[in-house]
Amino acid sequence: DAGVIQSPRHEVTEMGQEVTLRCKPISGHDYLFWYRQTMMRGLELLIYFNNNVPIDDSGMPEDRFSAKMPNASFSTLKIQPSEPRDSAVYFCASSLVYQPQHFGDGTRLSIL
Amino acid sequence: ELKVEQNPLFLSMQEGKNYTIYCNYSTTSDRLYWYRQDPGKSLESLFVLLSNGAVKQEGRLMASLDTKARLSTLHITAAVHDLSATYFCAVDSPGGNEKLTFGTGTRLTIIP
């Protein structure tokens, strides 16, 4: 089975640009999570969806961040405008209820 | 607010030795997970612990859960180099929703 697929793997862009990160969850999983990992703050949950509906977005740092899940096989995390402090590794994960979350390989984002 | 603490943060140990990583959490939870992350890689699920006294073992790793003390341990027996990684515990939120709070991680280095 294919795991969680994220794209791009690496993104380098200049401050102020729009950044879009993409995620394809494991087929059949009804939960999808977006995390951010930094040395300073560790692994933080940004938002999660159940059956394509956002359930908890309390971890989204500010209005510059938005996430969508238009269907069961695709989600995006958008940052507009991007800032250097947004530099991090962003992980997408998916799961079934009460089961371990399966993580993608992550997107390493650098904002110059 | 649920808090999850791990110690130690860093652990350097010789091959063949035994050691334990500790995970404390602040509120009652239904599930506790252990994950492994290799440098620059994704997170991989190791164990799920559901009830007081639960013990799971896989190779040289054994995880246990004491819900009364809100403590989980990850014990490493006769460490080998390929166990070098960062280990995270994660706890679900009270009420059993799918939101996980991760610990700070323990970076384990096994020295030949």
Side-chain angles (χ1 to χ4, degrees):
Chain A
D1 279 343
V4 175
I5 299 171
Q6 291 186 245
S7 64
R9 290 295 313 277
H10 303 272
E11 175 89 12
V12 180
T13 192
E14 292 189 344
M15 175 178 164
Q17 296 297 307
E18 178 178 291
V19 174
T20 300
L21 310 181
R22 297 173 176 81
C23 176
K24 177 178 170 55
I26 293 172
S27 177
H29 282 190
D30 47 9
Y31 285 87
L32 184 139
F33 307 83
W34 283 101
Y35 290 89
R36 178 172 69 176
Q37 186 177 38
T38 61
M39 289 294 293
M40 292 297 294
R41 300 178 65 91
L43 194 64
E44 304 173 278
L45 176 66
L46 301 177
I47 185 171
Y48 80 95
F49 296 83
N50 178 217
N51 292 324
N52 313 337
V53 176
I55 302 301
D56 187 336
D57 66 355
S58 60
M60 295 286 262
E62 48 198 274
D63 292 345
R64 297 184 297 106
F65 285 69
S66 62
K68 293 182 179 179
M69 191 165 186
N71 57 61
S73 59
F74 184 65
S75 177
T76 59
L77 178 68
K78 190 171 292 188
I79 308 172
Q80 167 63 13
S82 57
E83 297 182 3
R85 61 194 166 118
D86 301 330
S87 298
V89 180
Y90 290 80
F91 286 103
C92 176
S94 71
S95 74
L96 296 169
V97 66
Y98 300 142
Q99 297 298 310
Q101 295 176 17
H102 295 257
F103 283 73
D105 287 336
T107 295
R108 187 172 297 274
L109 178 63
S110 296
I111 309 295
L112 306 177
Chain B
E1 181 189 348
L2 174 59
K3 294 189 187 302
V4 182
E5 295 181 347
Q6 287 182 237
N7 68 82
L9 297 183
F10 299 93
L11 176 58
S12 182
M13 53 191 291
Q14 287 188 315
E15 279 190 328
K17 300 290 188 182
N18 303 334
Y19 210 80
T20 301
I21 299 170
Y22 298 88
C23 173
N24 287 93
Y25 53 100
S26 60
T27 62
T28 301
S29 294
D30 294 329
R31 286 165 284 149
L32 188 140
Y33 298 87
W34 283 97
Y35 284 86
R36 168 183 172 145
Q37 184 179 35
D38 291 309
K41 302 292 186 182
S42 182
L43 281 81
E44 173 191 358
S45 175
L46 295 174
F47 302 110
V48 181
L49 301 168
L50 301 176
S51 59
N52 189 42
V55 177
K56 295 272 184 83
Q57 182 161 7
E58 178 80 30
R60 300 174 187 274
L61 300 178
M62 184 175 71
S64 64
L65 179 62
D66 181 343
T67 58
K68 294 179 182 177
R70 296 179 188 155
L71 171 69
S72 180
T73 60
L74 181 66
H75 187 73
I76 303 142
T77 302
V80 294
H81 180 68
D82 64 5
L83 289 179
S84 296
T86 299
Y87 293 86
F88 294 91
C89 63
V91 179
D92 72 329
S93 298
N97 68 46
E98 296 301 307
K99 180 177 179 177
L100 295 183
T101 300
F102 279 79
T104 49
T106 296
R107 179 177 283 188
L108 174 64
T109 303
I110 310 297
I111 302 167

